[in-house]
Amino acid sequence: MARIKPQALLNQSKKKKGPSRISISTIVVCNLVVAVVVLSLVTTYRHWSQRSRNTLETQSHKFEDTNAVSQQKNYDLPGYADISTPKGLITVELFKDASPEAVDKFLDLCKNDHFKGMPFHRVIKNYLVQAGHSSSSIPVEEWTAKAKLRGRLDISPKHEAFMLGTPKNKGNNKDFELLITTAPIPDLNDQLIVFGRVLKGEDVVQEIEEVDTDEHFQPKSQIGIISIVLKREL
């Protein structure tokens, strides 16, 4: 058997124990792969970040446009009305922002002449005058009792004298009635929707209030609304 020389054994030992070398081309390829992955992640992040900003801006613009349309609609709607009666003219301001649903219904009914010829069927001195085509759902005894209690209740600005409103229980357009207070009526907070106030013609309302009535607070001689004219400006 041939003997291996010590020098040869030393060379073989170095070859086995020495670490394998990584070529320059492999290092370059690995660096390129890492760079591509990082660049891809950065690009993806920028894309979704920009998309999120665009979505938020679009939603913001839509919200602003909706508000602008709503404000423009309110601006275009008539804000005043002239109520013509046999006693004279009553000019009222409509609360378009505070009571939009009631005002919208009132405007629609005015365009259909709903209030033309509507009689004042309830007149209570120092309390209110009410126009409508149906009798009130509130018993007469309640009206008089509420009038007596009026001075003991807190008064809210929207329930002062000469406010324009409608009973809450009159939900249908056919039953929509008009009511003008002649004194503060905070005791009707839960039954009345206030959607306007008298600007001119308080004396006309007071003249209607002075008509003779029967024991049911119904005028003995018929008096009612002749017509209503809507206006955008006074």
Side-chain angles (χ1 to χ4, degrees):
M1 184 176 177
R3 295 177 66 183
I4 300 176
K5 295 180 179 182
Q7 186 63 37
L9 288 173
L10 182 61
N11 292 337
Q12 288 180 3
S13 177
K14 289 181 177 180
K15 289 180 180 179
K16 289 180 180 179
K17 294 181 179 179
S20 57
R21 295 182 178 179
I22 301 174
S23 64
I24 296 177
S25 60
T26 303
I27 296 174
V28 172
V29 171
C30 290
N31 289 337
L32 288 175
V33 171
V34 172
V36 169
V37 171
V38 172
L39 182 61
S40 176
L41 291 174
V42 171
T43 303
T44 303
Y45 170 78
R46 288 181 176 178
H47 169 74
W48 287 107
S49 179
Q50 183 63 35
R51 185 172 180 179
S52 299
R53 284 197 295 268
N54 291 340
T55 302
L56 290 175
E57 289 178 0
T58 301
Q59 292 176 348
S60 177
H61 288 322
K62 287 182 179 180
F63 180 75
E64 291 175 358
D65 292 342
T66 301
N67 283 346
V69 170
S70 177
Q71 292 175 358
Q72 184 63 32
K73 180 182 177 181
N74 281 345
Y75 178 77
D76 292 338
L77 291 175
Y80 306 92
D82 284 338
I83 303 174
S84 179
T85 74
K87 299 293 185 180
L89 197 66
I90 304 170
T91 300
V92 297
E93 177 188 9
L94 305 176
F95 298 157
K96 295 187 291 183
D97 295 326
S99 304
E101 293 182 3
V103 170
D104 285 345
K105 187 176 291 187
F106 172 76
L107 295 177
D108 289 339
L109 292 173
C110 285
K111 294 174 183 177
N112 295 326
D113 291 331
H114 172 75
F115 302 104
K116 187 175 182 179
M118 177 178 283
F120 288 100
H121 65 82
R122 182 83 71 196
V123 176
I124 305 178
K125 190 173 182 180
N126 297 322
Y127 201 57
L128 55 80
V129 297
Q130 183 176 359
H133 291 298
S134 62
S135 59
S136 173
S137 60
I138 304 176
V140 175
E141 293 77 10
E142 284 195 34
W143 287 107
T144 54
K146 288 178 181 296
K148 292 177 182 178
L149 289 171
R150 185 181 67 239
R152 291 182 249 163
L153 297 170
D154 293 332
I155 297 172
S156 141
K158 77 172 187 175
H159 293 103
E160 294 177 351
F162 302 109
M163 305 304 287
L164 176 68
T166 186
K168 287 183 179 180
N169 59 346
K170 302 294 183 179
N172 299 326
N173 289 349
K174 183 179 179 182
D175 297 329
F176 193 95
E177 299 183 349
L178 292 183
L179 186 151
I180 300 176
T181 66
T182 58
I185 53 171
D187 43 306
L188 288 183
N189 283 356
D190 58 338
Q191 300 186 51
L192 180 65
I193 300 174
V194 173
F195 64 92
R197 66 188 178 99
V198 177
L199 293 181
K200 300 177 183 178
E202 291 94 338
D203 56 330
V204 176
V205 177
Q206 289 172 334
E207 283 194 45
I208 297 173
E209 182 187 30
E210 293 293 334
V211 300
D212 291 333
T213 61
D214 59 21
E215 66 274 13
H216 300 294
F217 299 101
Q218 296 178 348
K220 293 181 179 180
S221 58
Q222 186 170 354
I223 181 172
I225 296 172
I226 298 174
S227 64
I228 296 181
V229 178
L230 301 174
K231 301 189 300 182
R232 286 188 172 85
E233 297 178 355
L234 286 176

